[in-house]
């Protein structure tokens, strides 16, 4: 089989990579060991705003937003002594009905209502997300999906990669492509063959997770049912996630690092976080024991072979950003790879991928780990007094104080503006820097900026469209000068085969101080200035890694 790019793994990262490449005219073959009708994992339950912006470009955002929870099911997060116990605090978040106003924009009154984005966060499980992406990938003529086929090995000849795979029938499948990308998860066979080590913190915490079917859980809540419930009590701690808002629930129970998994009784630990007796029953759909880690691959590339997503980094699932960071990886890679394959950029352009993404992976993983350790330090069993569950005055006082602490610690992970919009590329070989330092960020806060390397600040056009809807497949020049931009820069881009889209804006949006801003297709600023480049061919050559003609 011949193709341009082989993708190993049809999870959200691999499928998004394939769709983004196909949308740019690249032929992709996606190899997946599971069958098409095998249920997806339920471990990831947040699609970040930044990811939704990508899905918007790929034409699948509306379907993702409509999946999973019922329209009126709140996405509140609560901290409690048990589902049937005392509520300690509640982080108020909207249902789908509350999320968007009549104009399609975020409704006011929530922690993330003022974010500069056309696509707010969506709380939907991978259980629903993966089938949606898989079916959407079928609509791309340039994507070939190959299920029930296991990746065995690859051979990189320098001018291309040959992947050897094995179908369930025992038949050997050989795929020849220019590039291969391993999106095959934390135990990635591609990464192992590359000989790349994972570096970082190998063990942070352990958990027993069970996806169960139990409609009765919804009636246990003392207040409104919550999308996510964090339980702390003297017997243990855990998290319950509403998958469909009715009968499917994902339940994590924390296991002490000095204990093995089997020492925590599966059923008893579920009853402890639910706050129910032995007569309460449920059906187990799936069970998994796992260890939370913060590990980042030493490198993301070896010749013509790349890794992305969990194959490249694993971290504790605070803020729900593991899958989302993987999707950010692949959309950073895809536009560069497509430009090279389409003859619009030099091979050296691909060096920018690791230069940009590896430092961000380190930053984001440490932010997530730091917040997780802060929570665990406060919510460990030994620090939870028995009086927490008392009905008396002292119990109420302890719950109120602990609830306030838990709210302050945790709201940033559920309104993580910084993780979505704050990160920037400060050492990229294809960004024209101007000496201004990009604003700092933390998990919950970001400052919009057009400093080169930052995310292009979002704004709505006068006709109601998002500026992101108007970005080209390569570069887009936002002209705020009030004058004609001229043809010299556009002609320099045209000579590379990478057309430049120019947006003449009648007004200067907030957060924009320069007459010209050049945005990449992945929404990062490549350059800005009050005058256009004096040597446009050299300027474009820097961006595309092509020698000026």
């Amino acid at each position: 089989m011949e193709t341009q790019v082989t993708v190993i793994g049809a999870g959200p990262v691999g499928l998004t990579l394939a769709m983004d490449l196909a949308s740019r005219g690249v032929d992709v073959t996606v190899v997946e060991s599971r069958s098409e009708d095998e249920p997806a994992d339920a471990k990831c339950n947040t699609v970040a705003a930044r990811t939704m912006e990508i899905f918007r470009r790929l034409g699948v955002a509306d379907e993702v937003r409509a999946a999973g929870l019922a329209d009126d099911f709140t996405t509140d997060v609560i901290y409690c002594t048990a589902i049937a116990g005392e509520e300690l605090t509640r982080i108020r978040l909207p249902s789908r009905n509350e999320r968007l106003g009549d104009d399609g924009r975020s409704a006011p009154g929530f922690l993330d209502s003022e974010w500069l984005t056309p696509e707010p966060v969506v709380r939907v499980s991978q259980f629903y997300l993966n089938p949606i992406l898989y079916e959407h990938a079928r609509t791309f003529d340039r994507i070939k999906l190959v299920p029930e086929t296991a990746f065995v090995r690859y051979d990189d000849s320098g001018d291309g990669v040959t992947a050897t795979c094995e179908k369930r029938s025992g038949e050997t499948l050989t795929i020849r492509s220019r590039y291969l990308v391993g999106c095959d998860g934390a135990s990635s066979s591609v990464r192992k063959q590359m000989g790349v080590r994972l570096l970082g913190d190998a063990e942070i915490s352990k958990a027993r997770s069970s996806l169960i079917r139990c409609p009765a859980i919804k009636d246990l809540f003392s207040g409104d049912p919550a999308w996510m419930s964090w339980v702390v009590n003297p017997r243990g701690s855990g998290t319950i996630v509403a998958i469909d808002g009715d009968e499917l629930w994902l339940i994590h129970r924390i296991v002490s690092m000095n204990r093995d998994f089997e020492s925590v009784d599966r059923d008893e630990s579920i009853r402890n976080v639910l706050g129910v007796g032995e007569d309460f029953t449920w059906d187990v759909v799936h069970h998994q024991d796992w260890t939370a880690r913060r590990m980042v691959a030493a490198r993301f590339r070896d010749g013509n072979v790349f890794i992305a997503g969990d194959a490249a980094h694993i971290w504790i699932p605070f803020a729900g950003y593991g899958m989302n960071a993987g999707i950010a990886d692949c959309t950073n890679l895809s536009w560069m790879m497509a430009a090279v394959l389409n003859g619009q950029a030099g091979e050296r352009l691909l060096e920018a991928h690791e230069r940009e993404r590896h430092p961000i992976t380190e930053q984001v993983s440490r932010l997530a780990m730091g917040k997780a350790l802060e929570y665990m330090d406060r919510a460990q069993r030994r620090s939870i007094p028995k009086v927490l569950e008392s009905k008396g005055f002292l119990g109420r006082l302890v719950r109120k104080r602990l609830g306030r602490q838990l709210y302050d610690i945790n709201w940033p992970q559920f309104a993580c503006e910084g993780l979505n919009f704050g990160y920037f590329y400060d050492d990229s070989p294809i960004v024209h820097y101007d000496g201004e330092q990009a604003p700092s960020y933390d998990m919950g806060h970001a400052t919009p900026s057009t400093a080169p390397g930052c995310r292009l600040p979002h704004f709505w056009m006068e006709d109601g469209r998002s500026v992101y809807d108007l970005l080209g497949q390569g570069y887009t020049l936002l002209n705020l000068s009030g004058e004609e931009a001229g043809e010299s820069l556009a002609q320099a881009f045209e000579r590379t085969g990478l057309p430049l889209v120019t947006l003449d804006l009648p007004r200067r949006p907030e957060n924009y101080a320069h007459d010209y801003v050049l945005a990449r297709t992945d929404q990062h600023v490549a350059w800005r200035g009050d005058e256009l480049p004096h040597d446009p061919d050299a300027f474009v050559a820097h961006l595309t890694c092509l020698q000026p003609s």
Side-chain angles (χ1 to χ4, degrees):
M1 185 183 295
E2 296 280 343
T3 190
Q4 289 179 285
V5 179
T6 301
V7 176
I8 307 300
V13 174
L15 290 171
T16 304
L17 173 62
M19 289 187 288
D20 202 53
L21 284 167
S23 74
R24 301 174 192 278
V26 175
D27 294 325
V28 189
T29 296
V30 183
V31 176
E32 170 58 49
S33 59
R34 301 190 311 172
S35 64
E36 292 182 320
D37 58 355
E38 190 171 338
D41 204 318
K43 62 183 178 181
C44 179
N45 290 282
T46 290
V47 180
R50 193 72 181 267
T51 300
M52 286 298 294
E53 292 172 359
I54 294 165
F55 289 166
R56 180 187 183 97
R57 187 176 73 239
L58 295 174
V60 74
D62 289 344
E63 192 172 356
V64 171
R65 187 172 300 283
L69 300 174
D71 289 349
D72 60 351
F73 196 93
T74 176
T75 59
D76 288 0
V77 176
I78 65 171
Y79 289 79
C80 55
T81 61
I83 296 298
E86 300 288 341
E87 188 173 307
L88 304 174
T89 191
R90 180 175 289 254
I91 299 172
R92 183 80 175 91
L93 296 165
S95 66
R96 188 181 296 118
N97 283 345
E98 296 172 310
R99 167 56 78 189
L100 298 179
D102 294 336
D103 59 359
R105 304 184 187 183
S106 287
F110 299 101
L111 289 169
D112 57 0
S113 294
E114 302 304 316
W115 286 6
L116 300 182
T117 179
E119 293 288 346
V121 63
V122 173
R123 308 298 184 183
V124 61
S125 174
Q126 187 176 336
F127 188 78
Y128 297 106
L129 174 65
N130 219 85
I132 290 171
L133 298 182
Y134 197 92
E135 288 304 311
H136 195 63
R138 289 182 187 275
T139 67
F140 288 79
D141 293 337
R142 291 185 176 273
I143 296 177
K144 183 173 182 59
L145 299 166
V146 186
E148 299 185 29
T149 302
F151 167 77
V152 178
R153 69 178 185 275
Y154 70 79
D155 296 290
D156 188 346
S157 63
D159 61 349
V161 185
T162 300
T164 301
C165 306
E166 185 176 307
K167 292 178 171 291
R168 286 190 183 178
S169 63
E171 177 187 357
T172 297
L173 175 66
T174 301
I175 307 172
R176 176 73 177 174
S177 59
R178 181 68 180 86
Y179 300 111
L180 181 144
V181 187
C183 303
D184 50 341
S187 58
S188 170
S189 297
V190 175
R191 186 191 66 239
K192 290 173 182 175
Q193 185 176 342
M194 288 170 64
V196 174
R197 294 178 58 202
L198 289 173
L199 306 174
D201 303 284
E203 292 188 354
I204 298 174
S205 66
K206 298 191 295 188
R208 308 205 82 183
S209 295
S210 301
L211 179 64
I212 68 172
R213 181 171 283 108
C214 182
I217 288 179
K218 194 174 180 180
D219 297 326
L220 296 178
F221 290 87
S222 58
D224 291 335
W227 160 68
M228 181 175 285
S229 306
W230 295 69
V231 173
V232 291
N233 64 47
R235 295 171 299 285
S237 59
T239 310
I240 298 91
V241 184
I243 302 301
D244 63 357
D246 183 20
E247 63 175 13
L248 284 176
W249 306 83
L250 181 63
I251 304 183
H252 304 299
R253 289 88 73 208
I254 303 302
V255 179
S256 298
M257 291 302 296
N258 59 355
R259 301 176 66 185
D260 58 42
F261 288 109
E262 296 303 324
S263 68
V264 176
D265 183 271
R266 189 173 72 180
D267 292 342
E268 181 183 15
S269 61
I270 290 176
R271 286 193 290 269
N272 283 341
V273 297
L274 292 178
V276 297
E278 294 187 4
D279 58 338
F280 193 87
T281 60
W282 57 83
D283 294 321
V284 175
V285 178
H286 175 74
H287 177 79
Q288 182 180 20
D289 295 333
W290 53 278
T291 300
R293 315 176 191 277
R294 193 206 67 83
M295 306 286 284
V296 179
R299 64 184 192 279
F300 294 169
R301 180 188 186 184
D302 183 24
N304 294 307
V305 180
F306 297 77
I307 50 175
D310 285 355
H313 44 69
I314 313 162
W315 59 66
I316 193 164
F318 256 60
Y321 223 71
M323 176 196 75
N324 295 283
I327 288 174
D329 289 343
C330 71
T331 49
N332 174 278
L333 176 62
S334 62
W335 78 268
M336 298 180 190
M337 191 173 279
V340 174
L341 289 168
N342 292 332
Q344 300 163 329
E347 178 75 20
R348 289 189 302 109
L349 180 69
L350 289 170
E351 297 174 8
H353 171 63
E354 187 167 322
R355 286 270 295 275
E356 292 183 351
R357 291 304 302 170
H358 201 281
I360 301 307
T361 300
E362 283 283 351
Q363 292 173 27
V364 171
S365 67
R366 291 186 183 279
L367 283 174
M369 184 183 72
K371 187 59 66 176
L373 292 177
E374 186 180 1
Y375 170 73
M376 288 190 293
D377 182 63
R378 189 65 194 87
Q380 286 179 341
R381 282 193 298 171
R382 64 174 178 270
S383 64
I384 302 300
K386 291 184 178 180
V387 73
L388 182 70
E389 298 178 292
S390 168
K391 301 292 185 181
F393 170 77
L394 186 56
R396 293 195 298 272
L397 181 64
V398 171
R399 287 193 294 273
K400 183 177 180 180
R401 180 178 300 170
L402 178 59
R404 187 164 53 247
Q405 293 171 341
L406 292 176
Y407 185 95
D408 291 342
I409 290 172
N410 288 288
W411 74 259
Q413 70 156 313
F414 300 108
C416 48
E417 183 182 23
L419 293 190
N420 275 275
F421 312 129
Y423 65 81
F424 49 86
Y425 303 140
D426 61 358
D427 184 32
S428 174
I430 59 169
V431 170
H432 287 277
Y433 296 103
D434 59 12
E436 181 177 328
Q437 177 64 42
S440 61
Y441 70 99
D442 57 30
M443 181 176 283
H445 300 92
T447 302
S449 174
T450 61
C454 289
R455 169 183 177 268
L456 183 76
H458 179 262
F459 61 89
W460 295 99
M461 304 291 286
E462 291 186 348
D463 61 6
R465 290 179 296 173
S466 163
V467 64
Y468 295 159
D469 296 340
L470 304 177
L471 298 184
Q473 289 281 58
Y475 288 89
T476 301
L477 180 68
L478 279 66
N479 177 14
L480 303 98
S481 68
E483 302 175 357
E484 290 289 332
E487 294 296 322
S488 61
L489 186 61
Q491 290 170 354
F493 272 101
E494 189 70 34
R495 284 190 282 273
T496 72
L498 189 67
L500 175 71
V501 171
T502 299
L503 295 180
D504 295 314
L505 302 177
R507 60 180 177 83
R508 190 180 296 272
E510 187 179 2
N511 304 308
Y512 287 74
H514 293 74
D515 285 346
Y516 303 100
V517 177
L518 186 68
R520 304 186 330 192
T521 181
D522 64 349
Q523 301 168 200
H524 282 269
V525 176
W527 168 86
R528 64 182 179 176
D530 291 322
E531 294 182 355
L532 291 174
H534 296 296
D535 186 346
D537 286 314
F539 178 85
V540 172
H542 179 87
L543 296 173
T544 60
C545 298
L546 286 171
Q547 293 297 320
S549 57

